[in-house]
Amino acid sequence: MADPDLAVVARRRQKRFFVIASPLFVLLVPAMALVSFASTRSMDDLPAGSWIILAASAVPALLVVGALLWARRWGARAVQPPLSWGLSWTERWRISKAIRTNQPVGEHLEVARDMAHRSVSSRWVAYVLGPIGVTLLPLRFLIDDGEGAGGFPAYAAPVIAIALAPNIWLEAKRAQRWLDEHGQGETA
């Protein structure tokens, strides 16, 4: 069983993260819609009901935040704080390095096991991210209108997705190897 103090500190840090990130996430969608709309028209040309539409665009983000908080409260494992959030940054880095290099951890074995399980369970991201990047990159060149539609991020995002996919897969493979040799447990 993990140290209860680590779990308490991790939960407090996750709560602080949610308090800061949730309003930013909820306000990001209407802000992006407003900037997108304002870049194509002047603010005087906004139709009368457009402010209601901008405000309503925050509803899906509010639903996502609410669902995450509800799932966290009722114990869904995927949204519980990682035990590593209860450690200092240097301790987390040391444990992460031990997992990557397949070395024994010593203390905080439960935290290392949690980190490795989370890495293995995120392997699906590599299987999704790579094909998405491979699909989007040629599409960006096919629909380019010569005016730089989407700008640099529209070209950089698929390249980053293609570059990250093998790294995520490799980290998951290393974590599985560490669990097999040092973690004394099977993956979920």
Side-chain angles (χ1 to χ4, degrees):
M1 183 71 189
D3 183 9
D5 292 337
L6 284 178
V8 169
V9 172
R11 194 157 182 85
R12 190 177 324 122
R13 287 181 180 169
Q14 187 188 46
K15 186 176 181 180
R16 189 178 325 136
F17 174 77
F18 276 149
V19 166
I20 293 170
S22 296
L24 294 176
F25 176 67
V26 169
L27 294 175
L28 179 70
V29 175
M32 287 178 14
L34 182 64
V35 168
S36 175
F37 193 77
S39 67
T40 59
R41 304 168 186 235
S42 72
M43 294 302 281
D44 298 331
D45 293 340
L46 288 175
S50 62
W51 296 107
I52 296 170
I53 294 170
L54 285 174
S57 66
V59 171
L62 280 170
L63 291 175
V64 167
V65 168
L68 283 174
L69 292 176
W70 181 80
R72 178 181 179 248
R73 179 178 179 158
W74 292 104
R77 177 169 164 64
V79 291
Q80 295 306 314
L83 291 175
S84 61
W85 281 20
L87 298 174
S88 68
W89 179 255
T90 55
E91 281 293 310
R92 277 185 269 179
W93 181 254
R94 186 185 63 76
I95 292 172
S96 178
K97 184 177 180 186
I99 292 171
R100 278 193 317 271
T101 58
N102 201 18
Q103 300 296 319
V105 173
E107 62 179 333
H108 303 305
L109 179 64
E110 189 68 28
V111 175
R113 197 177 295 137
D114 181 56
M115 288 174 72
H117 278 292
R118 287 176 184 270
S119 181
V120 170
S121 66
S122 68
R123 181 182 349 192
W124 67 271
V125 175
Y127 296 130
V128 172
L129 203 57
I132 287 175
V134 168
T135 303
L136 288 179
L137 192 60
L139 283 176
R140 290 306 312 153
F141 290 110
L142 289 174
I143 62 172
D144 188 10
D145 59 356
E147 296 178 12
F152 177 73
Y155 294 101
V159 171
I160 291 170
I162 292 168
L164 283 179
N167 188 40
I168 294 170
W169 181 79
L170 184 62
E171 287 294 317
K173 187 175 178 181
R174 288 175 179 165
Q176 181 62 59
R177 184 180 57 194
W178 184 88
L179 279 171
D180 291 342
E181 293 184 22
H182 304 287
Q184 300 133 0
E186 296 294 320
T187 58

